Amino acid sequence: MPERNIDFGKFGARGVRGFEAVARQLDALAGFVATPITQSRGLLARLHYLTRSDRARQAAREAGLTVTDRTLKAWLDGRRSPSRRNLQAIETAYRTVRRHNVARYLTARLNREGRGTRVEFHPLNQSQVTRPHQRVVSFRTLNVRRWDRIVEAWANDDSDALDDAWINDATVDLGSEWGQYEYVTNIGFAA
């Protein structure tokens, strides 16, 4: 695509890819458990979420948590503690299952029956770029109406699909300047 940044940061600009900022914002909207998994409360909250029904257990298995029911019960009762590798598997399964569970709700919430959601593009940080190399990039807002592919790619944790969906379904609507917002300091939307 034209205007894709090939050598971002060469002159000192700082920022993150737009789709990464959107993923962070969607993660915040998903409402993950705030307590770290290394604490008993955080571990139990995640395990209860993953074992509250047969459907949840099946989704956890599909997401990579492949321990026996006996082991899960021992963890829930506090008789045993998961290993570091199992803690990572629990966290990954929890985030995957939670994303899939809230994806339909977030899509409806962000699409708002075709009205869309206003998105704020905070431009990249050019404070370390010398004056002749600085671009004129300003704060922009845009009403994004198509969130289906964006939320689906986020729920599947597919960075390439999320980048493609974010560029094609949202950023290109900024007009001829869309390439200047491939990297940003933040993307904000209130839904």
Side-chain angles (χ1 to χ4, degrees), residues 56-115:
R57 285 176 193 238
Q58 182 61 32
R61 283 189 186 94
E62 290 171 5
L65 185 62
T66 57
V67 294
T68 64
D69 289 338
R70 182 177 171 184
T71 303
L72 279 172
K73 183 159 178 34
W75 290 345
L76 286 166
D77 294 341
R79 288 182 280 128
R80 281 196 276 172
S81 297
S83 66
R84 191 175 306 232
R85 187 173 59 90
N86 281 332
L87 283 176
Q88 184 61 41
I90 292 167
E91 182 67 23
T92 303
Y94 167 72
R95 287 189 167 270
T96 302
V97 171
R98 179 72 180 157
R99 281 180 171 178
H100 282 284
N101 288 346
V102 300
R104 187 173 34 164
Y105 164 74
L106 280 178
T107 302
R109 182 175 169 186
L110 294 168
N111 282 337
R112 292 183 343 139
E113 297 175 354
R115 294 187 307 270

Side-chain angles (χ1 to χ4, degrees), residues 16-23 121 163 166 171 181-184 187:
V16 296
R17 300 283 302 263
F19 76 90
E20 293 170 352
V22 169
F121 292 79
D163 183 27
W166 180 246
T171 310
Y181 298 93
E182 181 183 1
Y183 286 87
V184 295
I187 296 284

Side-chain angles (χ1 to χ4, degrees), residues 3-8 124 135 179-183:
E3 291 204 42
R4 286 278 188 151
N5 291 295
I6 297 170
D7 198 8
F8 178 76
L124 53 98
R135 290 182 176 178
Q180 296 177 6
Y181 298 93
E182 181 183 1
Y183 286 87

